[in-house]
Every structure is written in C-alpha cells, then in structure tokens.
C-alpha cells in the first residue's frame, strides 16, 4: 500500500484531555512511516480542511507533542460546524475531496462528540458517494458523556473530578461558616441535556465523609416545594447544605429554570445563570444566607486536576484510531469497554460510526435516587473509577507549563474557498 | 512560670490554608509542655469562647493534626462576629474572663483578618482593662491580602494561584473556540475593596506565553467605552479575550456594577453577579459570543491547587505565634517580611496589634498599569513568588483525603451564656 498523508482535526467544545488524544494519535502515526506520511491538522476543525488551512504537525518537536498530553484546550483550534448532507451541500464535499487530493490525504481522523461523529460518518462514505478512497475514524471526545456504545467519553472523567473536588472543597468551606454566616452553597455546572456532570457532584459525599449535597438534574423537572424541603432537612441535620445544579434544569412546564426573563432597571433583558435563580429561591423561601458559583469553562479546561484515568483513555483512544486505520478499518470509532468495576478494568472496543452518529446516551433512570436529588450506588460505582488518579502537569513559575504549538501552515495549493 | 492552657480560634472567611496555621500552632504548642497544657479550640471562633463551647485538640491524633496542613476550610468552625468595645459590651469581656478562668487559659491565639485582629487586640488588653493576665497573639489570615505591615497574608497566595491557573486554562479554551464560537470569557473573583485577587489573573499572561487578559479592578472606576475598546483591540489582535472582574468594581458614580436592579418577569428583585453584567455589555456593544463564570467559594477553598509558598507561610505563622507567646510577647502578630524577590527570600517579623487592627492595605497605585486594565512589572514581581510551588494533598478514590476532626467537646463548667 502506498504511503498516504493523514488529516486530524478537533471539533466541538474542547476539553482538558482532547490534546492527549492528539498526542496519542500523532505518536502512533509516527510508528507507521511505511503507511502514514505526514499528519496535517485542520486549523479550527473541519473548517481547516474546507479552507485548506492545514497545520504541518511534523514541524513540532517530539517534546511538544508529548506536552500535548498535559495541555488542555484544542491545540489546533476547534470549531462548531456540522457538515450538511451530501444532497444539501455537495459543494463542501467536493471541496473536501479537492483538498484531500491536493495533499494526498488517505486517512481522516476526527476528534469530537455526536455531531462530529456524523461529520466523520459522511466523510467515511466519500468512497461510495463520490469515489474518493479514504479511511475515516472518529476519536471520541465530549464532557457531556453522551456518546452511545462507549462506556464513557474522554473529557468527562476530568470534568467529573473537577466538580467532585470543587463540591467537596466548597462543602468544607460552608460547613465552617454555617454557624453565623453562609448556610447554602450552589454550584452551576454544564450538561444541558443529561445530568452526567451534575451527578459527579454527588461523589463529594461518601459513607466515611458524608456531605449534604443536593443535585438538580436536567432529567428531573424542578419541584420547588420538594427542593426547599430537602435543603431545609439538610440544614437542620448538618447545619449547612450544598447544591449542584445543571444548567439544563427545567420547570415542570419544560421551561429552563435559568430563563427568568430578567430585566435591568431600564427594562433591558439581562443574562442570568441558573445558580442565582436557585439562590433566590433559598433566600425567599428559607431566608438563609447563600453563596453561588458558576464553573463554566473552568470545569472543562481544568487540566491541573484532570483524572489520570481520563488522560490515559484519551491518549489511548487517539492511538487506537491510528491502529484501526492501519488494520484497514473505515467508518469506526474506538470505544472504552468496561470489563470490571472494582478494581476497574477496561479495554479498547470498536463501534460502527453509523451506530454512534446523532445518538445521545442519557443517564439511566436507576442512576438517580428515588427522591430525584441524589445518585444511586449503581451510579457511584460507574463514576468512581472515572475520576481515579491524578496526572499533574509540570509547573513553571507557579503555573502549569502548558504548550502552545508553532502551528506551521502547510503551503496552499488551491484557490480560496468561501464557507 | 506555671503551665497554662491555650485557646485557639479561627475567624472570618476561611481559606485553603488556615488549617495549616492551626497545624503549625498545635504542633509548636506540643513542643512546650512545660508552659502550655492543653490547646482548646473555640467551636466557631470567638463564639466558642463566649458560649464555653471548647474543643479538646489533644483528643486528635498526631496524624490528624498533620492532615490539617492539607485540609481547606476551618476545621473548628469559623464565625463572623466582632467584639464591640469594652464600653459597649462589658458583659462579653467579663464572660470571656469567666471562661478563661474556668479553663485555666493563659494564651489566646486568634487566626483571622483585620476585624479579628481588633478582637485579638481587645483580648490582649484584658490584663490592663479587667485585670486578667493573658497573652494574646494574632495569626494572620485573609484571602483579601489587606493586612498592613506583613508583606502578604496567608490564604492569598493560594487564591492567587487558583485565579492565575484558572485564567490560563480558560484562556486556552477560548482561544480554541474563537474562530466559530466564544470569543470572550469573563471570570468574576472576590475582593470587594482591593484588587489583589483580580490582579492575580494578570499572571496568566507572560512574555513567553502572552494571553490577552483584561482586569477590572475595584480601585478603578469602570469606564465602559475604554473597556469595550480594550476588548475589541484584543479580539482583533488575538482572536479572543479574557476578562477577570473583581466583584467590587464600581461605576464612576460609585455604584457597584453588579447592582443592576435586576427584576424577573414578575417584577421580583433578582440576584446577579458582576460577570453576567460584563457579559451583557460585550453582547450589546460588540455582539461577540461570550461565556462567564463566577469562582466564589471555589477560589478560596481550592486546597487542591494551593501555593506551596502560601502553605509554608501559613504553617510557620501558626508556629511563630506560639514562639512569640513563649518569649513573653502579648498583643502582637507574626508577619511575613520579604527580603529578596528573585530568588524569593522571606523571614518572620513581628507587628504590634495596635498597628494592625482595622487598617486596610490597598493595592499600591503603581501595581496597576497606566490604562487601568493590567498589572505592572512591579506587581508581577510581588505576586509571582506567592504562587510559587505546588503542595498537593494526598488522594483517596480520586478525591483529596481531607480530614474531618473529631472535635471532642470540653466538659462545660459554667452556666449558659446567651450571645
């Protein structure tokens, strides 16, 4: 088989470990000089392929590639851009082929979530649809943990660890202050559709070190009366209470709890998160002193407290993608298969992209406790191994020594293309 | 000199390292069995002294005391409670003496900020005012870094490190997304009166790794036009921009920027932070996609990313307080004296409480850059050593193994006292 170049790109919201997948993929590709020539990264995801904005990863030193393993964010830039169907946008597919041909690209690696898997699936069909031979492999990544088939998604474990650690620390803080000051702390976390991230807040509590955490899941319609009763019960029992609330929590009528139609003194619409709304309820109904935080990007960028399990899995997923390509596969995604809980054992599996694209995996109902405010033991057994282990980046002058790549552009060969 | 018992209490907002001071103090006290009997901790600060709610720290194992060094929050509970003057509340001072007498307390150690230093000062004067012999030593602690005389305050360095690391990580994240999505990220941090904590966000940027960080200090009146121009300039130059905003930022008319008189759809007053207000300005004036976060308690509880310098200083301040007492001092506070910047060298100094109580140290004007949105080199030289080094807690099951003490109550000897 002739040597072909490879294309790699990052897609969707970035994570603390997507660059670890890039490191795994790039290092694995170097082990196959007989089949893979250069690996070109797309600048800003698939957009880089469309605009012929390619990055020559061979210009980076081995040390720089290794440093990707401990650098959060998307080193080549990511994008939120979903390819339409071939029928709706033939022009873009033909452009992709033009770019792939011009740069002799025979392998397409796409690192993202559900939408990106769909893009990767469409590219994998180019041989059939437009006669261009390519092997397209998807590398799983999403903090939302909502890809099907794979037991978990790289990126999620580190967010889960961040949320669990933060809730534990904030709970210790509130417990100290509760006698004369703050009694309730509320943390808003990501996860608009599924409560995986909010569920991780439940790990702050354990048998040995109980913490009164109330979880508000997007799967459970918000019941103000029940919520207030639960918080009050905890404050009476423990002296304080902490709440982790998913940004996606809705009222019984299906409206986001964060959507309170806020107006400033001049009547202008204002932004609000859901944490201050929950804080307002605590104030109005219980009259307790509260504090609230919104983790936002900090939770998914927090490489400094990444889960070692997550980093390893992300790295191995990148490596497995190359191995799948070398074995001749197309239109597949490496997955994480859990074979045992305690001690945790997992292995690499393989899923067909057709089974992955556009399918969302929700939290199983039996992961949420009966009252709707906590996690079950089954959920705990699932989550615990995913936050296991630390994997600290090196530091310099008190800060993580995250790498910024050179990102040298590959000379363009084609006419400009407008997206 | 006869053996006397000691009283120790934590006061005000807790930090990631106030328990490290407790560890230093308790371990140092054990080294003086000829002078110090038991160390009784006040449950919830000075309130524990007033209500005779004392904790017998000798019931804790040496391992537990050592674990305080890496456990955030206030292990004995803190309080927000300031003693009034002797004239205004003689009853409370007499009660303190009653409790001290009943438990043979000759040393008073109070671990807190400016208000607490005032309480400690009043206790130190009990010999003169009410004829009860006691040595009162203050142990500095405040994330606000606003105590005078001492070069910095234990608790601040770790918040500074948290904010610098978080801003660096969020900046990497936004940079990856900026092409097709979020271009501005805003993080709200603490520091209502002084911009020390916001200033730490400036450390995310360095000569080797420039990051377009805009800082909004409480010391500088918010100028919307200049701010928008600055953000626009960064977005044009870098493609993105990150903003760290102090909760205490005010308009030119002295009104908190966070105070927008928010109302919900029913006209009810709503809570808001300053981060969403800044985000709204970005949206309305620049039309850019934004994200915002509010660090709140997470920043001061984040022992998992504490500064090693800060942990060491906190521990040594606790130890020094005991040594000062053993040397016969009263009404003093150990301080941190910086003797060199690079390499950083510091030593323990001593301040009179009369010079510390109720004095706030503001950011020097020459720490803020001329345009009001950044830090100067002088500020950077001051801050950098304070975030130097890591001091990771041990982990168990993926979470920090923070200790919860037994907090065994000392039997009460007196009648109840109502505060």
């Amino acid at each position: 088989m002739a040597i072909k170049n490879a294309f790699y790109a990052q897609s969707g919201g970035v994570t603390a470990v997507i660059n670890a997948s890039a490191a795994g993929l790039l290092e694995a590709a170097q082990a196959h000089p007989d089949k893979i020539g250069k690996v070109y990264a797309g600048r800003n995801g698939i957009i880089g392929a469309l605009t012929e904005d390619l990055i020559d990863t061979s210009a980076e030193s081995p040390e720089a590639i290794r440093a990707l393993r401990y650098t959060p964010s998307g080193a080549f830039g990511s994008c939120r851009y979903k390819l339409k169907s071939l029928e709706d946008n033939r022009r873009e597919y033909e452009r992709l082929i033009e770019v792939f041909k011009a740069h002799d690209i025979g392998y397409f690696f796409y690192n993202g979530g559900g939408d990106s898997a769909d893009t990767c699936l469409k590219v994998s069909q180019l041989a059939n649809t437009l006669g261009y031979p390519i092997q397209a492999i998807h590398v799983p990544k999403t903090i939302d943990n909502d890809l099907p088939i794979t037991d978990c998604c790289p990126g999620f474990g580190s967010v889960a660890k961040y949320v669990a650690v933060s809730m534990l620390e904030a709970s210790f803080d509130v417990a100290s202050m509760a006698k004369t000051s703050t009694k309730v702390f509320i943390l808003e976390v990501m996860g608009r559709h599924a409560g995986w991230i909010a569920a991780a807040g439940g790990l702050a509590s354990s048998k040995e070190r109980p913490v009164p955490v109330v979880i508000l899941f997007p799967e459970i319609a918000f019941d103000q009366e029940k919520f207030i009763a639960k918080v009050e019960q905890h404050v009476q029992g423990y002296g304080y209470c902490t709440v982790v609330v998913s940004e996606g929590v809705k009222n019984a009528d299906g409206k986001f709890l964060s959507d309170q139609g806020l107006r400033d003194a001049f009547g202008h619409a204002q932004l609000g998160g859901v944490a201050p709304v929950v804080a307002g309820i605590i104030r109005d109904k219980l009259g307790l002193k509260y504090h609230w935080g919104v983790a936002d990007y900090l939770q998914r960028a927090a490489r400094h407290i990444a889960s070692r399990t997550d980093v390893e899995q992300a790295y191995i997923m990148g490596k497995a993608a190359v191995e799948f390509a070398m074995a001749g596969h197309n239109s597949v995604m490496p997955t994480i298969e859990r074979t045992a809980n305690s001690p945790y054992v997992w292995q690499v599996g393989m899923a067909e992209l057709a089974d992955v694209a556009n399918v969302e995996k929700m939290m199983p109902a039996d992961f949420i406790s009966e009252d709707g405010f906590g996690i079950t033991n089954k959920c705990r057994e699932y989550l615990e191994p995913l936050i296991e282990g630390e994997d600290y980046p090196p530091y310099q002058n008190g800060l993580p020594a995250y790498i910024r790549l050179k990102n040298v552009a590959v000379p363009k060969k084609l006419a400009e293309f407008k997206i």
Side-chain angles (χ1 to χ4, degrees), chain A residues 51 89 207 224 285 287 295 299 308 347 362 372 377 412:
Chain A
T51 59
N89 203 344
K207 259 183 206 150
Q224 181 168 309
K285 301 297 168 189
Q299 70 200 285
R308 193 178 65 222
Q347 64 191 25
M362 306 309 284
N377 281 336
K412 294 193 181 191

Side-chain angles (χ1 to χ4, degrees), chain A residues 116-127:
Chain A
S116 317
D118 182 67
T119 294
C120 193
L121 174 63
K122 283 166 181 157
V123 171
S124 77
Q125 295 162 340
L126 285 179

Side-chain angles (χ1 to χ4, degrees), chain A residues 291-348:
Chain A
H291 260 255
W292 56 270
V294 177
D296 199 67
Y297 276 1
L298 304 194
Q299 70 200 285
R300 73 182 202 191
R303 180 61 182 83
H304 74 271
I305 186 66
S307 146
R308 193 178 65 222
T309 305
D310 191 33
V311 173
E312 284 172 1
Q313 290 180 338
Y315 182 88
I316 290 173
M317 289 296 104
K319 191 164 167 271
V322 171
E323 284 159 8
F324 284 5
M326 295 302 91
H329 294 288
N330 180 34
S331 204
V332 294
M333 175 183 92
T335 61
I336 293 155
E337 285 181 3
R338 183 187 301 228
T339 54
N341 258 338
S342 183
Y344 176 59
V345 184
W346 69 281
Q347 64 191 25
V348 176

Side-chain angles (χ1 to χ4, degrees), chain A residues 363-369 375-379:
Chain A
M363 288 254 293
D366 63 358
F367 274 29
I368 299 177
S369 64
I375 56 173
T376 59
N377 281 336
K378 201 169 167 190
C379 181

